[in-house]
Amino acid sequence: MSHYQTREGAFESVLKDHLLDRGYKVVPNSEFDRDTALFPSEVLAFIQDTQPETWTKLENLLGERTGEQVITDLTKWLDDHGCLSTLRHGFKCYGRRLHVAYFRPVHGMNPDLQARYEANRLGITRQLHYDPEHPKRSIDTVLSVNGVPVATAELKNPMTGSDVNDAIKQYEEKRNPQAPLLRFKKRALVHFAVDPDEVHMTTRLAKGSTTFLPFNKGIPLEGGRSRKGGNPPNPDGGYKTAYLWEEVWEKDSWMEILQRFIHIDTEEIKKDGITVEEDETIIFPRYHQLECVRQLVASAKEEGPGEDYLIQHSTGSGKSKSIAWLVHRLVSLHDDQDNAVFDGVVVV
């Protein structure tokens, strides 16, 4: 695409069409249950396809109530344990473990695990009416994994008079953080504000107290419109932010982020030496952190141990977390022959 399309809907369509060409599927708005904040038919279809033996055992116990009971138990589990833990470890229904996602195995020695990974259903829904209390309100784009919403995005096009700052303002002023879809940690884990030039993101919606961080490549824009640095021109002539859907949301990348990058930090709040509460924060990698870790992992996989690398960083760039993500990846890194690249990893 050599020029910007002028309608906001066209911007959304470019994003959606790219994802559909890369293995995503459209999940209709009509399949969304606003109360459970799930796409129940997608959840049940995935479980039946990938775990038929467990499904049959549940069906022998529950009969026609099986689907309803699975969704009820999944909803409660998500509310109690959170979306991230449920995606990674599954949930229990009548004492039986069910999985709502399978992640890419670290090596290729188990074809069954690879087949289950390939069975994941990545979905995109546009203009999702998400709020039980305000059924006419909608969010531009929602991404889901096997019927479980994991991300939302508000898309703006400056050619129609709105930009990324308007998307941020929309999240702060017009999105109910207590709606089931948007409750912190329970369903959608990250929220993106996107226009053709910039991307910003947050992991907790809190009205006017919401904090958005840039998810840009870090090149300042002319004219001062960007608050925290923008993006270089797209070498292919398209939108500057195309890396979001072409790289970050690409299936293997997105599933790896859900499996290995997102994590929850817990801080104890003490009074008189006694822990009175815990404050949780969902950590989502910034673009430069994601790029740094992936480049180092790819190089280590190809070149093996013994190479030297220099990473240039600035104050506040999140280098400690980048190191932690890198160590986590290197510990389980295998080469193309399924041999472990490192026996152990030491951080000094």
Side-chain angles (χ1 to χ4, degrees):
M1 185 182 63
S2 59
H3 59 85
Y4 289 155
Q5 299 187 47
T6 56
R7 293 183 297 108
E8 187 171 297
F11 181 44
E12 292 184 33
S13 294
V14 169
L15 182 158
K16 183 199 74 172
D17 291 345
H18 179 87
L19 292 179
L20 294 183
D21 287 342
R22 301 304 190 278
Y24 279 68
K25 61 173 289 189
V26 171
V27 182
N29 203 324
S30 59
E31 294 190 12
F32 186 69
D33 185 300
R34 288 191 286 261
D35 294 317
T36 63
L38 293 170
F39 297 93
S41 60
E42 286 292 293
V43 173
L44 297 178
F46 173 76
I47 292 174
Q48 291 178 57
D49 287 348
T50 58
Q51 301 147 84
E53 293 182 1
T54 306
W55 178 268
T56 298
K57 291 177 181 177
L58 287 171
E59 223 174 16
N60 291 336
L61 285 171
L62 302 169
E64 295 180 356
R65 294 191 301 112
T66 305
E68 179 183 352
Q69 190 63 52
V70 167
I71 295 299
T72 297
D73 288 354
L74 172 58
T75 301
K76 185 176 187 307
W77 196 277
L78 284 162
D79 291 340
D80 290 343
H81 300 275
C83 180
L84 190 61
S85 175
T86 306
L87 286 171
R88 290 175 176 175
H89 307 296
F91 69 103
K92 285 189 176 181
C93 178
Y94 271 65
R96 288 167 171 79
R97 178 73 59 177
L98 291 170
H99 294 273
V100 289
Y102 285 104
F103 294 98
R104 195 173 192 174
V106 296
H107 52 71
M109 291 185 286
N110 190 329
D112 290 339
L113 292 179
Q114 183 65 27
R116 288 183 175 182
Y117 171 72
E118 296 295 339
N120 286 311
R121 300 162 174 246
L122 274 65
I124 180 171
T125 305
R126 290 179 57 183
Q127 300 301 327
L128 180 68
H129 295 276
Y130 69 96
D131 193 342
E133 296 182 7
H134 304 280
K136 292 185 178 181
R137 292 184 181 177
S138 64
I139 287 181
D140 286 340
T141 300
V142 172
L143 303 183
S144 59
V145 175
N146 305 317
V148 179
V150 293
T152 74
E154 293 289 354
L155 311 179
K156 302 298 176 186
N157 194 336
M159 300 296 288
T160 61
S162 60
D163 61 22
V164 69
N165 296 311
D166 295 293
I168 290 172
K169 186 176 180 180
Q170 195 169 28
Y171 271 120
E172 293 174 342
E173 297 180 358
K174 297 182 179 180
R175 297 292 170 255
N176 174 17
Q178 296 306 313
L181 173 68
L182 304 181
R183 286 172 59 204
F184 173 71
K185 199 177 76 167
K186 306 302 183 183
R187 298 296 187 279
L189 297 166
V190 61
H191 312 279
F192 294 95
V194 189
D195 73 12
D197 296 316
E198 293 192 64
V199 182
H200 293 252
M201 59 90 176
T202 186
T203 57
R204 184 196 290 263
L205 296 179
K207 293 291 187 179
S209 299
T210 303
T211 300
F212 273 85
L213 296 173
F215 194 78
N216 298 316
K217 294 186 176 182
I219 308 299
L221 295 176
E222 296 180 0
R225 184 177 66 80
S226 171
R227 297 186 302 178
K228 298 179 181 179
N231 290 296
N234 187 327
D236 296 326
Y239 296 119
K240 293 179 181 178
T241 53
Y243 62 88
L244 178 65
W245 55 89
E246 292 177 357
E247 299 175 27
V248 179
W249 290 350
E250 185 272 332
K251 177 182 176 179
D252 289 340
S253 166
W254 192 230
M255 293 301 292
E256 183 189 42
I257 289 171
L258 292 171
Q259 179 189 17
R260 300 182 183 277
F261 281 91
I262 303 176
H263 73 273
I264 298 176
D265 270 357
T266 302
E267 180 183 358
E268 293 184 347
I269 299 175
K270 295 186 177 183
K271 184 176 181 180
D272 298 328
I274 300 173
T275 300
V276 293
E277 62 178 308
E278 293 182 342
D279 183 42
E280 292 183 318
T281 304
I282 294 178
I283 305 299
F284 191 93
R286 305 270 292 280
Y287 181 82
H288 66 273
Q289 293 173 311
L290 198 62
E291 185 180 40
C292 172
V293 171
R294 285 178 166 171
Q295 286 184 2
L296 288 169
V297 168
S299 181
K301 181 176 181 178
E302 180 178 351
E303 299 176 1
E307 299 295 323
D308 294 329
Y309 305 93
L310 175 65
I311 297 95
Q312 183 176 353
H313 66 84
S314 58
T315 302
S317 64
K319 56 186 175 294
S320 296
K321 290 184 172 59
S322 297
I323 292 169
W325 280 315
L326 177 62
V327 170
H328 181 60
R329 289 293 289 113
L330 295 180
V331 166
S332 60
L333 184 64
H334 287 66
D335 61 21
D336 291 334
Q337 286 73 46
D338 289 327
N339 299 311
V341 176
F342 299 99
D343 295 324
V345 178
V346 178
V347 179
V348 179

